[in-house]
Amino acid sequence: MQLWTGLGNPGPQYAMHRHNIGFMAVDAIAEVHGFAAPRRAFQGWVQEGRIGTHKVLLLKPGTYMNESGRSVGEALRFYKLTPADVTVFHDELDLAPFKLKVKAGGGHAGHNGLRSTDAHIGPDFRRIRLGIGHPGHKDRVTPHVLGNFAKAELDDLTDLLGAVAAEAPWLAAGDDVRFMNEVARRMG
């Protein structure tokens, strides 16, 4: 089994924040691949399903971003998984908007959701970095991250989420390079 976690903040007031693109990605995957309805577990919401032949548990922590690792760690221990079984979808300031990169392990680059996950399970999990772009100055980072996507960005956002969901079988199979290439081709 694989544990795929989307990082975000719970509640309708945060739903369209750039910081919630991780939640949006797992929602798109659940919808496209016909996952079971969400249920409360592990201080969040989980959905079970299959992507190809791979059993995947989607998790949206309900702990708010800064405590995401509590939820991830609880699910990891319950299913006796290792950090290598975990994939985390998150917003990434240092990538152009709607670009995507996959990275195994690494630091948190100031991302509190990654920092919390790292603190609870260690750094050796796969990260799906979903670009939201940098606002240009560090004083504008918080309002940018905690701001809604602009109307002009919604088509690109929808295209990215659709591409992530459609190409998720490559991710489930462990072919990160093919996943990145196919998402990029769709975004072309």
Side-chain angles (χ1 to χ4, degrees):
M1 176 191 282
Q2 298 179 42
L3 174 62
W4 290 9
T5 302
L7 297 185
N9 287 310
Q13 69 272 38
Y14 304 110
M16 288 305 295
H17 282 188
R18 288 179 184 88
H19 217 23
N20 271 37
I21 196 170
F23 272 14
M24 296 173 201
V26 297
D27 285 343
I29 291 165
E31 186 176 328
V32 167
H33 295 280
F35 274 57
R39 62 179 172 83
R40 290 284 295 170
F42 312 118
Q43 303 177 59
W45 296 270
V46 296
Q47 290 175 269
E48 295 179 30
R50 289 194 169 279
I51 299 177
T53 59
H54 305 276
K55 186 171 183 184
V56 176
L57 184 74
L58 299 176
L59 170 66
K60 289 173 29 180
T63 52
Y64 290 92
M65 185 67 79
N66 296 357
E67 295 292 335
S68 300
R70 288 196 344 237
S71 175
V72 177
E74 200 176 300
L76 177 113
R77 287 185 296 278
F78 180 84
Y79 287 105
K80 297 177 175 57
L81 301 173
T82 69
D85 300 317
V86 176
T87 299
V88 174
F89 294 81
H90 67 90
D91 57 303
E92 177 58 64
L93 280 166
D94 294 329
L95 272 181
F98 314 111
K99 296 298 181 195
L100 172 149
K101 288 232 186 317
V102 179
K103 180 180 177 187
H108 55 71
H111 192 293
N112 289 332
L114 292 177
R115 178 183 284 129
S116 175
T117 303
D118 187 325
H120 285 270
I121 72 168
D124 299 326
F125 55 92
R126 180 169 62 178
R127 301 123 197 269
I128 310 302
R129 302 164 65 213
L130 303 165
I132 61 167
H134 197 287
H137 192 275
K138 65 180 180 174
D139 293 344
R140 296 204 303 263
V141 166
T142 299
H144 177 72
V145 168
L146 297 179
N148 288 341
F149 281 101
K151 279 197 172 90
E153 295 176 305
L154 294 183
D155 286 346
D156 288 335
L157 174 63
T158 300
D159 290 348
L160 175 62
L161 297 173
V164 166
E167 301 303 338
W170 296 115
L171 207 53
D175 194 339
D176 297 352
V177 171
R178 181 78 186 263
F179 172 73
M180 284 189 283
N181 290 340
E182 294 300 330
V183 168
R185 186 181 56 75
R186 282 179 180 265
M187 295 299 290

